[in-house]
Amino acid sequence: MIEHLHPRIIENKDWATALFVLTFAVVAMTKSAYETRFSEFSKLIFSDKYAKIYRDNSHMKSSFTVGLFFVQVISFAFFIQLTLSMYDKASKTDYVLFIQIATFLLYFILAKYLIEKIVAAAFNIDDFVELFNLQKVTYRTYIGVLILPINAILFYYDNILTIVPLVTIGISLCISLYSYFISIKTYQNVIIGKLFYFILYLCALEIAPYYFLYYWITKGSA
């Protein structure tokens, strides 16, 4: 009888639960502290009113942006790990892998931001890039908050169709493309005046980094 007994493998989900509680708490506190702003932020996909109101560079370092940036990094890290786990490339309860992904994302975003500032200074388009960055951060944060509850569902439920992450990625890409459309529409006069530099900026700092990030994730998990 004893020979047929197998040790029960218990997955440690406490770390993830704590992070989910923390991130949802940050969202709740941000909503409470900036009720009007958060209300406009939640309508971002349907209206560009938020982007027009909060387009000043000073909003980049506000507690609203910083708090939701933390949520964004945690949310994206969870989503990447959960997507990999659904395709049997990783374990969704591996907290070491989560730390690695979150750390990489943090350094990736910050390094990209610093490089953009250097390039902007070289091309003499500092003001435009600052505004453009704020717009990108806003929509990227919106996507991060949007997929946070999806992450919780993917983490705690096992029988989820593998198409769910793909649909989520598709919707996220659509929102990102929409954000670029809004940015180009808003700053079209500046872009036309420096079209060559803008095209170089897009190719070097908006397309190439994400291609290499995709390559690193897919090849690294193979």
Side-chain angles (χ1 to χ4, degrees):
M1 184 73 177
I2 298 177
E3 294 178 355
H4 297 286
L5 293 177
H6 297 282
R8 183 182 178 187
I9 299 174
I10 302 176
E11 295 181 327
N12 183 9
K13 297 182 179 181
D14 292 345
W15 65 270
T17 301
L19 277 178
F20 278 123
V21 171
L22 179 60
T23 48
F24 279 113
V26 171
V27 173
M29 288 187 292
T30 303
K31 182 179 182 297
S32 177
Y34 300 90
E35 190 170 348
T36 302
R37 183 173 178 179
F38 193 89
S39 176
E40 294 298 335
F41 174 77
S42 64
K43 304 171 186 174
L44 198 61
I45 189 68
F46 307 107
S47 170
D48 61 349
K49 184 179 178 181
Y50 177 91
K52 291 179 178 178
I53 295 175
Y54 302 98
R55 56 184 292 180
D56 188 84
N57 292 340
S58 60
H59 294 296
M60 180 71 83
K61 299 178 181 179
S62 68
S63 56
F64 180 93
T65 304
V66 173
L68 292 184
F69 174 77
F70 165 78
V71 174
Q72 171 196 152
V73 173
I74 298 298
S75 184
F76 284 147
F78 262 124
F79 183 76
I80 292 172
Q81 182 166 346
L82 290 169
T83 301
L84 291 174
S85 71
M86 291 191 71
Y87 290 93
D88 298 322
K89 300 294 184 180
S91 170
K92 66 180 179 182
T93 57
D94 187 347
Y95 69 91
V96 175
L97 177 61
F98 176 84
I99 293 173
Q100 291 173 338
I101 295 174
T103 302
F104 177 83
L105 282 177
L106 181 62
Y107 279 108
F108 175 81
I109 294 171
L110 294 179
K112 186 171 178 293
Y113 174 72
L114 291 175
I115 293 172
E116 286 175 352
K117 289 184 71 69
I118 294 171
V119 172
F123 289 167
N124 196 26
I125 51 174
D126 305 69
D127 294 337
F128 164 70
V129 170
E130 282 292 327
L131 295 172
F132 193 58
N133 266 328
L134 179 60
Q135 195 98 323
K136 287 189 303 177
V137 168
T138 299
Y139 280 91
R140 194 172 61 225
T141 300
Y142 182 80
I143 295 172
V145 174
L146 200 64
I147 66 175
L148 188 58
I150 297 175
N151 288 333
I153 294 173
L154 292 176
F155 187 84
Y156 291 106
Y157 292 90
D158 294 324
N159 299 321
I160 303 293
L161 296 175
T162 54
I163 197 175
V164 173
L166 297 179
V167 172
T168 304
I169 292 172
I171 294 174
S172 300
L173 287 175
C174 288
I175 295 175
S176 297
L177 290 174
Y178 175 73
S179 73
Y180 281 109
F181 171 77
I182 293 297
S183 299
I184 292 172
K185 180 182 177 182
T186 304
Y187 308 117
Q188 57 183 328
N189 293 331
V190 179
I191 291 173
I192 291 173
K194 299 183 178 180
L195 186 60
F196 176 73
Y197 293 128
F198 179 71
I199 294 174
L200 284 178
Y201 172 85
L202 282 181
C203 293
L205 297 173
E206 293 302 316
I207 299 175
Y210 292 107
Y211 171 78
F212 288 118
L213 178 61
Y214 168 79
Y215 180 85
W216 176 81
I217 292 173
T218 54
K219 294 300 180 181
S221 60

